[in-house]
Amino acid sequence: MHPILKLLAQRLALGIVLLFAASVLIFVGTTILPGDVAQSILGQSATPQALANLRTELGLNDPPVARYFAWLGGVLQGDLGTALTNGRDISESLGGRFRNTMFLAFWAALVSVPLAILLGLIAVRFRDRWPDKLISGITLTSISIPEFLIGYVLMFFVAVKLGWAPSVAMINDSMTLGQKLNAISLPVAVLTLVVLAHMMRMTRAAILNVMQSAYIETAELKGLSTFEVIRKHAFPNAIAPIVNVVMLNLAYLVVGVVVIEVVFVYPGMGQYLVDHVSKRDVPVVQACGLIFAAVYIVLNMVADIVSILANPRLRHPK
């Protein structure tokens, strides 16, 4: 088998194993949580007989292994189960929420990725000079502050004091694209500030590492300007680690938006998950956890595969 196909097959197999392990951890974690779902549904005034009947109806008296494989079998057939608190199909409820989360993550990525790469290139071009120090200082400051604090600060000054953006990011299908973008402007700004520093610094470090190569010195001796050396020689050869860190941050944008969605009351998967955690609605928590795990694993696999394809030693084996 070709070395690249072999590596791709290994990454795919590893991803499946990791997803299976994640499903076990999610199920065990939600099973050992304190509390009683039947008690949460019926309330404190429920009789012991009513609680026993509901536990039997929900299958809570079945062995954990049997419940796990029943849940996993349903997931493999596309059935995420039914929410215990409202009886709604979880797949239908999650569909709209997942689209909203991806909509927010997409626009955050569309702003943050090009901006981070541009700032990284500028930092390399003006290495150890004031633009480099200014960019590094601002981005490091933004990543050092908790995202919920950035969200509340922007909400207070930008939304309440200045009135430039809505403080609550509520969107629905009847809104136009412009109205939706206006509604998510603050959450996108917070997510951009959170992931910007990591991607910018990795871009800067990767290009500086390439700039120490002998062929870069040769290009400089030919009379190319610093910008041309970076654009034609350094950046293309540093693309693998840059894509890797970009993918990791994209995974964070999808998986790590829970706090931001709660702060801005955004109708995404994170808000949906938090609402049902408080009600101990285990099937919803399991479904959200598994989807978040799958997105994270898939994006990491994509990062690995891109790194492999960008490596000349793997693309052209001896």
Side-chain angles (χ1 to χ4, degrees):
M1 181 182 290
H2 193 280
I4 292 181
L5 293 179
K6 185 178 180 180
L7 285 170
L8 294 181
Q10 289 175 344
R11 293 297 188 277
L12 184 60
L14 180 61
I16 294 173
V17 172
L18 286 176
L19 190 56
F20 176 74
S23 71
V24 174
L25 290 176
I26 291 168
F27 185 84
V28 172
T30 52
T31 301
I32 64 176
L33 282 175
D36 188 341
V37 180
Q39 190 79 62
S40 302
I41 295 174
L42 296 179
Q44 296 297 326
S45 59
T47 63
Q49 185 60 44
L51 288 173
N53 292 338
L54 184 57
R55 290 193 186 105
T56 303
E57 181 183 345
L58 297 176
L60 300 179
N61 294 326
D62 296 339
V65 175
R67 283 189 283 138
Y68 169 73
F69 282 107
W71 171 66
L72 187 62
V75 170
L76 292 176
Q77 297 175 16
D79 179 15
L80 296 176
T82 304
L84 299 178
T85 51
N86 55 23
R88 293 182 178 175
D89 185 81
I90 297 176
S91 301
E92 293 180 1
S93 301
L94 272 179
R97 297 279 188 159
F98 184 71
R99 285 196 297 273
N100 289 343
T101 294
M102 294 303 293
F103 180 76
L104 177 61
F106 169 77
W107 286 103
L110 197 65
V111 174
S112 60
V113 172
L115 183 60
I117 293 175
L118 176 63
L119 290 178
L121 294 173
I122 293 175
V124 172
R125 173 64 181 82
F126 299 98
R127 181 186 180 187
D128 295 333
R129 295 162 64 182
W130 72 265
D132 180 22
K133 295 177 180 177
L134 179 64
I135 292 171
S136 298
I138 293 176
T139 52
L140 284 176
T141 301
S142 68
I143 201 174
S144 302
I145 302 174
E147 55 211 62
F148 70 88
L149 182 58
I150 298 175
Y152 285 125
V153 169
L154 288 181
M155 188 186 296
F156 179 74
F157 286 103
V158 179
V160 178
K161 291 294 184 182
L162 300 175
W164 290 351
S167 58
V168 177
M170 291 297 295
I171 65 171
N172 54 64
D173 293 338
S174 63
M175 297 172 69
T176 63
L177 178 60
Q179 291 172 328
K180 289 182 179 179
L181 293 179
N182 182 52
I184 65 170
S185 54
L186 283 185
V188 167
V190 175
L191 290 172
T192 298
L193 289 173
V194 170
V195 301
L196 190 64
H198 194 201
M199 290 190 289
M200 187 284 293
R201 292 190 66 79
M202 181 55 74
T203 302
R204 179 182 182 277
I207 295 177
L208 285 178
N209 184 47
V210 174
M211 292 287 284
Q212 297 174 359
S213 304
Y215 63 87
I216 295 295
E217 186 177 354
T218 303
E220 291 173 340
L221 292 175
K222 286 181 178 178
L224 294 178
S225 66
T226 304
F227 178 76
E228 287 177 318
V229 170
I230 294 173
R231 183 176 65 85
K232 293 183 178 178
H233 300 281
F235 183 70
N237 289 288
I239 196 69
I242 293 173
V243 169
N244 204 312
V245 75
V246 166
M247 286 296 172
L248 292 177
N249 281 277
L250 290 181
Y252 172 80
L253 285 177
V254 177
V255 178
V257 297
V258 175
V259 175
I260 299 302
E261 290 186 0
V262 173
V263 168
F264 290 97
V265 200
Y266 183 76
M269 277 187 61
Q271 180 73 53
Y272 185 67
L273 172 63
V274 172
D275 288 345
H276 287 78
V277 165
S278 61
K279 301 172 185 174
R280 207 183 183 285
D281 199 331
V282 174
V284 174
V285 177
Q286 291 172 338
C288 291
L290 191 62
I291 291 174
F292 281 142
V295 170
Y296 199 86
I297 290 171
V298 167
L299 287 176
N300 274 279
M301 283 177 53
V302 172
D304 271 354
I305 291 171
V306 171
S307 298
I308 291 170
L309 296 178
N311 189 337
R313 287 174 294 183
L314 295 176
R315 284 189 285 109
H316 304 289
K318 292 182 179 179

